[in-house]
């Protein structure tokens, strides 16, 4: 969807961040740079849960009176429904406070345009694999504590199945709840398997934990920023040919999904404008 | 006035430092370097341009550790960053010291909202909920053990335990947010308007240790 630039508004991208390594926040800064380059907003800023600037400091970064807050998160859940509204003192889709108007959009991961990004990434990582002989896994964290955390991933798996992309199977799987990604070889009946982590960053989970669960590494390796090269595909493991992608959030076009969420917010709440 | 314009006016008015960064206006551009390189031969410094570089320069300390807290006294030396506009200067400073300039302007305007520690801890949920039960004595001790230049954070703490309980006197609670020997009127102080999440994580650990000590005592 073409985006109508908002030179008088600010975009605030909210991310998780990490105290362990910078890889967790790198995609957020990349998305901010891309949106600045596109000239879509008068100002673009990032704020974080685990890094600086904090969400409570964010208002001191911003000149504009109108702010679009986009959670650069995969799913709706604890962070998008509890932590971010609490820290940014948001009371609903639109909040007016101390001379500024704050619009709070849905997280990027639940936007329908993520489907195209996931398919593109799956094709890029395994250009030679025939989809008819391939199982595509979309992998999330999963937690027994919040059912919403898997909804975005289940939805995307269903959308990809319905897209006509031709994969023999499209499955959702998780680190910490069933179906477990560690059991990928038993879950997939095809000779080829493509695994796309549905995470924003190549942080601890996608870069260090999941490779161990897949069996392509014996123990968690160094963080992405500490490595010379990315992993080499394909991996011949457990009798199958496995292609492992970097996290979907590292995709440059995620910046477009951020803008799509803003456009959808306006369409839903600002139709009169 | 926009933040970039205010920053530009502040530099024109004599501001030359923020944290471990020296700022020099020169022929319409801004030159930034580490304060310990201010008097170095510029030809020996590695040259960079543009605000995005500021994130790379501020990510790793000299010893290779990740600087997730930007108020750390561990900025790398050996570089010279050229910025071509006040907007680039604002963006670069927000990478080096996130929101620091905006916080300082807000303090000037009397609109900086300070959050005391109890308010910060009491709104924690999830795994950080434990931090709420930290004792006053434990919180005071933690400030002297976690904050201040002695522990690598060079921000001026503006918060108290609560509205009626100031922080006990210590190097951390006394620190004025300006690094090095410079006329204070030439520096933007780094301000800490509420305890950071690193402090909250430490408060959680300390609170658990207090409860364990009670259980075994």
């Amino acid at each position: 969807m073409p985006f109508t630039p908002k030179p008088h508004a600010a975009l605030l991208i909210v991310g998780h961040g990490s105290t362990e390594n910078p890889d967790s926040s790198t995609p957020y800064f990349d998305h901010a740079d891309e949106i600045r380059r596109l000239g879509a907003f008068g100002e673009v800023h990032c704020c974080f849960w685990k890094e600086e600037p904090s969400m409570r400091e964010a208002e001191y970064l911003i000149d504009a009176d109108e702010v679009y807050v986009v959670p650069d998160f995969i799913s709706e859940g604890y962070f998008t429904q509890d932590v971010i509204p609490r820290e940014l003192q948001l009371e609903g889709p639109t909040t007016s406070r101390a001379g500024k108007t704050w619009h709070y959009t849905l997280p990027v991961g639940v936007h329908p345009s993520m489907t195209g990004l996931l398919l593109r990434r799956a094709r890029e990582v395994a250009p030679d694999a025939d989809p008819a002989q391939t199982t595509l896994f979309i992998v999330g964290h999963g937690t027994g504590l919040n059912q919403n955390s898997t909804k975005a991933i289940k939805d995307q798996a269903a959308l990809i199945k319905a897209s006509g992309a031709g994969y023999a199977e499209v499955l959702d799987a998780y680190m910490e709840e069933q179906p477990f990604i560690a059991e990928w070889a038993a879950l997939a009946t095809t000779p080829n398997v493509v695994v796309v982590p549905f995470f924003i960053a190549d942080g601890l989970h996608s870069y260090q934990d999941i490779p161990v669960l897949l069996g392509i590494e014996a123990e968690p390796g160094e963080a992405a920023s500490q490595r010379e090269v990315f992993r080499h595909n394909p991996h011949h493991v457990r009798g199958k040919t496995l292609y492992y992608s970097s996290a979907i959030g590292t995709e440059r076009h995620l910046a477009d999904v951020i803008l799509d969420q803003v456009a959808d917010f306006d369409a839903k709440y600002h139709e009169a404008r | 006035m926009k933040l970039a314009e205010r920053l530009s006016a502040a530099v024109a008015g004599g501001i030359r430092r923020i944290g471990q960064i020296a700022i020099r206006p020169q022929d319409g551009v801004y030159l930034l370097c580490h304060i310990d390189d201010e008097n170095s031969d510029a030809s020996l410094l590695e040259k960079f341009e543009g605000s995005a570089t500021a994130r790379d320069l501020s990510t790793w300390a000299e010893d290779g550790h990740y600087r997730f807290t930007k108020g750390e006294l561990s900025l790398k030396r050996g570089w010279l960053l050229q910025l071509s506009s006040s907007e680039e200067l604002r963006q670069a400073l927000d990478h080096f010291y996130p929101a620091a300039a905006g916080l300082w302007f807000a303090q000037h305007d009397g609109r900086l909202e300070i959050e005391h520690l109890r308010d910060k801890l009491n709104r924690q949920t999830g795994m950080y909920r434990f931090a709420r039960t930290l004792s006053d004595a434990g919180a005071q001790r933690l400030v002297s053990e976690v904050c201040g230049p002695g522990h690598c954070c060079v921000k001026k703490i503006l918060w108290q335990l609560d509205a009626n309980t100031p922080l006990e006197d210590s190097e951390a609670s006394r620190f004025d947010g300006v690094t090095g020997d410079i006329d204070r009127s030439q520096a933007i102080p780094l301000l800490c308007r509420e305890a950071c999440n690193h402090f909250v994580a430490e408060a959680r650990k300390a609170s658990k240790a207090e409860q364990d000590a009670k259980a075994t005592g």
Side-chain angles (χ1 to χ4, degrees):
Chain A
M1 185 186 316
F3 186 82
T4 308
K6 295 178 176 294
H8 303 297
L11 173 68
L12 180 63
I13 298 172
V14 186
H16 190 283
S18 164
T19 57
E20 300 290 330
N21 66 64
D23 307 312
S24 177
S25 52
T26 295
Y28 304 103
F29 288 108
D30 289 346
H31 303 156
D33 283 344
E34 177 69 8
I35 292 169
R36 279 191 201 108
R37 195 186 62 75
L38 294 169
F41 279 87
E43 348 166 13
V44 184
H45 304 281
C46 298
C47 67
F48 300 97
W49 173 233
K50 289 281 188 183
E51 294 180 32
E52 297 172 75
S54 71
M55 288 179 250
R56 288 281 167 117
E57 287 170 334
E59 68 180 86
Y60 301 102
L61 293 163
I62 299 170
D63 283 312
D65 294 335
E66 187 172 29
V67 187
Y68 283 81
V69 179
V70 180
D72 211 347
F73 279 72
I74 286 300
S75 57
E76 289 185 272
Y78 176 58
F79 279 102
T80 63
Q81 292 172 340
D82 293 349
V83 174
I84 296 173
R86 181 188 79 208
E87 293 298 306
L88 288 175
Q89 298 169 276
L90 305 176
E91 291 153 2
T94 293
T95 305
S96 294
R97 180 167 47 80
K100 285 197 196 310
T101 302
W102 303 74
H103 303 303
Y104 187 42
T105 77
L106 291 172
V108 291
V110 305
H111 197 277
S113 61
M114 288 300 293
T115 313
L117 257 58
L118 288 164
L119 278 171
R120 182 210 301 256
R121 180 57 64 89
R123 279 189 221 109
E124 277 173 0
V125 75
D128 305 325
D130 174 10
Q133 298 292 315
T134 303
T135 300
L136 172 59
F137 279 97
I138 308 298
V139 182
H141 189 282
T143 162
L145 299 174
N146 190 326
Q147 286 193 329
N148 271 335
S149 77
T150 60
K151 184 178 181 303
I153 295 153
K154 287 191 170 81
D155 287 352
Q156 287 301 333
L159 286 166
I160 293 170
K161 264 184 218 170
S163 72
Y167 285 99
E169 295 176 277
V170 184
L171 302 174
D172 57 309
Y174 307 93
M175 294 172 64
E176 293 190 0
E177 69 176 271
Q178 289 189 322
F180 291 109
I181 187 58
E183 293 164 10
W184 65 274
L187 294 166
T189 57
T190 55
N192 302 322
V193 172
V194 175
V195 176
V196 180
F198 202 27
F199 290 82
I200 295 295
D202 274 326
L204 294 177
H205 297 319
S206 75
Y207 213 85
Q208 296 176 288
D209 298 337
I210 295 175
V212 175
L213 297 173
L214 292 173
I216 57 178
E217 295 206 359
E219 58 185 49
E222 294 287 319
S225 54
Q226 306 272 351
R227 294 199 188 198
E228 294 284 318
V229 290
F230 203 75
R231 293 187 172 79
H232 295 290
N233 281 308
H235 304 270
H236 298 285
V237 57
R238 299 182 191 171
K240 294 185 188 290
T241 303
L242 174 70
Y243 301 83
Y244 184 55
S245 134
S246 53
I248 193 63
T250 60
E251 162 73 52
R252 188 172 63 86
H253 289 280
L254 206 83
D256 297 330
V257 184
I258 291 173
L259 299 181
D260 287 345
Q261 278 300 27
V262 171
D264 278 15
F265 182 94
D266 278 348
K268 187 170 177 185
Y269 296 103
H270 293 166
E271 277 175 315
R273 288 189 177 189
Chain B
M1 201 191 304
K2 287 192 162 188
L3 284 167
E5 292 162 13
R6 286 188 78 169
L7 201 49
S8 161
V11 173
I15 288 292
R16 291 292 177 271
R17 186 172 290 195
I18 178 169
Q20 287 180 286
I21 302 269
I23 306 168
R24 185 155 40 105
Q26 185 178 293
D27 303 330
V29 303
Y30 299 93
L31 296 172
L32 271 54
C33 67
H34 191 290
I35 53 176
D36 294 338
D37 289 332
E38 224 173 346
N39 300 316
S40 301
D41 179 350
S43 67
L44 300 176
L45 302 175
E46 196 175 354
K47 312 285 188 303
F48 298 97
E49 286 185 21
S51 57
T53 313
R55 179 167 189 251
D56 300 331
L57 292 169
S58 62
T59 295
W60 305 104
E62 204 72 70
D63 68 2
H65 80 262
Y66 167 48
R67 299 176 72 247
F68 69 91
T69 299
K70 301 293 188 228
E72 260 196 27
L73 199 58
S74 60
L75 193 68
K76 265 197 306 200
R77 294 182 54 183
W79 50 269
L80 184 70
L81 177 61
Q82 181 175 316
L83 303 163
S84 59
S85 67
S86 56
E87 181 56 32
E88 280 216 338
L89 175 65
R90 186 193 66 74
Q91 284 185 27
L93 292 187
D94 275 339
H95 279 304
F96 283 118
Y97 296 109
L103 290 166
W104 182 59
F105 292 132
Q107 189 189 44
H108 252 257
D109 301 344
R111 57 183 170 82
L112 180 61
E113 288 178 28
I114 293 160
E115 185 125 37
H116 296 307
L117 183 64
R118 285 293 166 209
D119 295 326
K120 170 93 181 184
L121 296 183
N122 287 341
R123 75 167 192 267
Q124 300 304 310
T125 53
M127 65 183 275
Y128 294 106
R129 185 184 292 270
F130 276 106
R132 297 180 185 189
T133 56
L134 182 66
S135 69
D136 278 8
Q140 294 282 13
R141 192 169 50 247
L142 207 55
V143 172
S144 66
E145 289 173 358
V146 171
C147 309
H151 304 96
C152 226
C153 184
V154 286
K155 291 186 179 179
K156 175 183 173 66
I157 304 174
L158 302 175
W159 42 272
Q160 307 187 146
L161 287 202
D162 57 43
N164 303 313
T165 317
L167 299 185
E168 288 171 0
D169 183 57
S170 69
E171 185 201 31
S173 66
R174 275 195 305 273
F175 190 68
D176 69 357
V178 177
T179 306
D181 187 20
I182 185 174
D183 177 351
R184 269 37 197 165
S185 68
Q186 293 182 8
I188 296 176
L190 300 179
L191 303 177
C192 179
R193 56 164 293 282
E194 72 173 7
C196 64
N197 281 349
H198 171 57
F199 188 94
V200 173
E202 293 299 315
R204 173 178 174 266
K205 282 188 221 161
S207 176
K208 283 197 156 221
E210 283 181 352
Q211 288 180 24
D212 289 348
K214 264 187 217 163
T216 56

